[in-house]
Amino acid sequence: MTGDILTLNCGSSSVKFAVFDAAHPKAAARITGKIAGIGRAPVFTARDTEGPLETPGPLNELTTAHTHEDLIARLLDWLAQHHGDQPLLMVGHRVVHGGKSYTAPTRITQTVLSDLDALSPLAPLHQPHNLAAIRAVSARQPNLPQAACFDTAFHRTQDRTETLFALPRDLSDEGIIRYGFHGLSYAYIASVLPDHLGTSANGRVIVAHLGNGASMCAMRQRKSVATSMGFTALDGLVMGRRCGTLDPGVILYLMQSKGMTAAQVETLLYRKSGLLGVSGISNSMQDLEASNAPQAREAIDLFVARAARTLAGMIPAISGLDAVVFTAGIGENSAPVRAAICAQLDWLGLQLDPKANARGDVKISAQTSAVDVLVLPTNEEAVIASACRTLLAT
């Protein structure tokens, strides 16, 4: 199987991509890159195994007028012109929501695309852009196979009681249940846990995926037992712009007493809340940590408190705790946030090594800690590439 696999992860303002050799499952990506600032002033960056790449040709004059579809078309042209020494065998996409029907990586057909489009209201910040990328590739190269890899799929190992809301049964049967997200990230962490924890990898582990979007997953036998996100990616932890867990009565009040429409409430909860809403300054943890404003401190404190409480609340689902893993942008890069969360969990016998935490070592727990604490970079692209290799072989 000689050729490449392209992975695409499309968000509201960015496209992350990677190119993998289809014949070498354990090899790192040959090329990685990102188009950031879509809708404002797009910036394209890429690198191979030797360092940064120049971006001549179709990607050297990006403007605010370029859509996701246009940019992906230009990306395909750039790859073909400058890095097309091997044929492209498949494009794999991160798709946030697979609903009840899609629980494993799936080849894209028109029927699949229509089914996934119907789930867009459950992930309005992600699903439409994920599907736009699929359509953009089809328009440019209609015969190129594509695959969808779902963030929700990893959590389908959970017991039914973990997926239920206390709603009438007909609504649960209809699909109004807890799905969970960030599954590609959790799948990657689960795959590398034995490298760092040995036999304890199959024990009681909670992974904290802390970034602009944030959630936690409690694992046993490296499978999802419980997670903090639910029906949509709005639930659970405080996030960059999303509110996380919210009394549903607040939504009723906003609509009935404040006269807000459903669209206005959606914008408020998805785009104007979280760290940005509480601080009034930024959705970036890095910006808030650099600020002296009391509102910034309050936003960080709320993020930390919710994270510590959520982590502690997941322990009963796995009957104890052997290890905590921090990953994603904040989890991997903010030593102060890791320290603050762990400080609220010291009653578990969890103790950090301050120097190891400051350095961002893989293992940051003290030797005397009753719980191992790790910092592991996630790699969703590698999970997508692996799924594509499996689909190509069948």
Side-chain angles (χ1 to χ4, degrees):
M1 185 167 57
T2 301
D4 285 334
I5 293 166
L6 171 65
T7 68
L8 292 176
N9 182 349
C10 290
S12 59
S13 62
S14 67
V15 176
K16 292 191 289 185
F17 68 91
V19 178
F20 293 83
D21 190 326
H24 297 90
K26 294 186 179 180
R30 294 202 303 116
I31 301 169
T32 59
K34 184 175 185 179
I35 304 172
I38 299 173
R40 302 189 301 276
V43 176
F44 177 88
T45 56
R47 62 185 300 116
D48 61 14
T49 55
E50 296 183 357
L53 295 170
E54 294 185 6
T55 57
L59 280 166
N60 63 350
E61 294 180 353
L62 302 182
T63 72
T64 57
H66 288 124
T67 64
H68 284 71
E69 292 87 343
D70 184 32
L71 291 168
I72 289 171
R74 286 169 172 256
L75 171 61
L76 291 172
D77 288 345
W78 178 77
L79 287 170
Q81 290 177 19
H82 302 283
H83 302 281
D85 50 321
Q86 294 194 136
L88 198 55
L89 301 180
M90 180 174 276
V91 180
H93 299 263
R94 177 197 179 200
V95 176
V96 166
H97 217 307
K100 294 186 74 172
S101 300
Y102 295 99
T103 60
T106 302
R107 284 179 179 262
I108 298 295
T109 65
Q110 190 55 51
T111 298
V112 170
L113 194 56
S114 297
D115 290 344
L116 299 179
D117 206 16
L119 296 170
S120 290
L122 308 189
L125 295 187
H126 302 89
Q127 196 89 345
H129 302 296
N130 301 156
L131 303 186
I134 295 171
R135 294 188 176 100
V137 173
S138 293
R140 201 67 168 186
Q141 297 189 36
N143 296 321
L144 180 60
Q146 298 187 75
C149 300
F150 305 101
D151 263 336
T152 48
F154 184 76
H155 302 294
R156 299 285 64 80
T157 56
Q158 294 180 8
D159 290 341
R160 175 175 164 81
T161 52
E162 285 293 341
T163 71
L164 290 177
F165 295 110
L167 292 171
R169 297 187 71 86
D170 58 336
L171 293 177
S172 299
D173 294 341
E174 184 182 305
I176 302 179
I177 60 173
R178 298 179 59 84
Y179 289 98
F181 299 91
H182 293 132
L184 298 179
S185 175
Y186 293 130
Y188 178 78
I189 297 299
S191 73
V192 300
L193 277 179
D195 298 335
H196 305 285
L197 291 176
T199 56
S200 296
N202 290 323
R204 303 161 300 182
V205 180
I206 295 179
V207 182
H209 178 106
L210 306 181
N212 194 50
S215 70
M216 291 187 183
C217 179
M219 299 181 191
R220 194 167 50 227
Q221 297 295 318
R222 291 186 286 148
K223 295 181 179 180
S224 177
V225 175
T227 192
S228 60
M229 279 183 170
F231 182 60
T232 71
L234 191 61
D235 196 13
L237 304 176
V238 174
M239 293 171 249
R241 294 175 179 268
R242 284 170 267 171
C243 62
T245 296
L246 181 71
D247 178 350
V250 173
I251 299 173
L252 297 176
Y253 174 79
L254 293 174
M255 298 180 75
Q256 295 171 351
S257 298
K258 302 288 285 186
M260 294 179 69
T261 65
Q264 288 172 327
V265 172
E266 179 181 87
T267 298
L268 175 71
L269 302 185
Y270 274 101
R271 301 181 185 276
K272 296 183 177 181
S273 298
L275 293 174
L276 175 63
V278 176
S279 71
I281 296 170
S282 175
N283 65 305
S284 166
M285 182 63 74
Q286 187 175 18
D287 290 346
L288 297 181
E289 288 178 336
S291 173
N292 292 322
Q295 297 91 332
R297 184 69 258 168
E298 187 171 58
I300 295 172
D301 289 345
L302 180 59
F303 180 93
V304 166
R306 183 75 60 80
R309 186 173 69 189
T310 299
L311 195 156
M314 300 180 89
I315 294 174
I318 49 177
S319 302
L321 186 62
D322 299 312
V324 173
V325 179
F326 289 99
T327 193
I330 297 172
E332 294 171 30
N333 298 302
S334 178
V337 167
R338 293 193 300 261
I341 292 172
C342 291
Q344 295 192 25
L345 300 169
D346 61 356
W347 51 273
L348 292 168
L350 189 159
Q351 298 177 351
L352 288 193
D353 178 331
K355 292 182 179 179
N357 183 44
R359 291 192 300 264
D361 290 355
V362 170
K363 185 174 182 179
I364 62 172
S365 49
Q367 290 185 351
T368 55
S369 180
V371 178
D372 288 324
V373 184
L374 306 179
V375 179
L376 296 177
T378 193
N379 191 337
E380 295 162 319
E381 290 74 21
V383 174
I384 297 171
S386 177
C388 288
R389 291 188 185 96
T390 300
L391 289 173
L392 285 168
T394 58

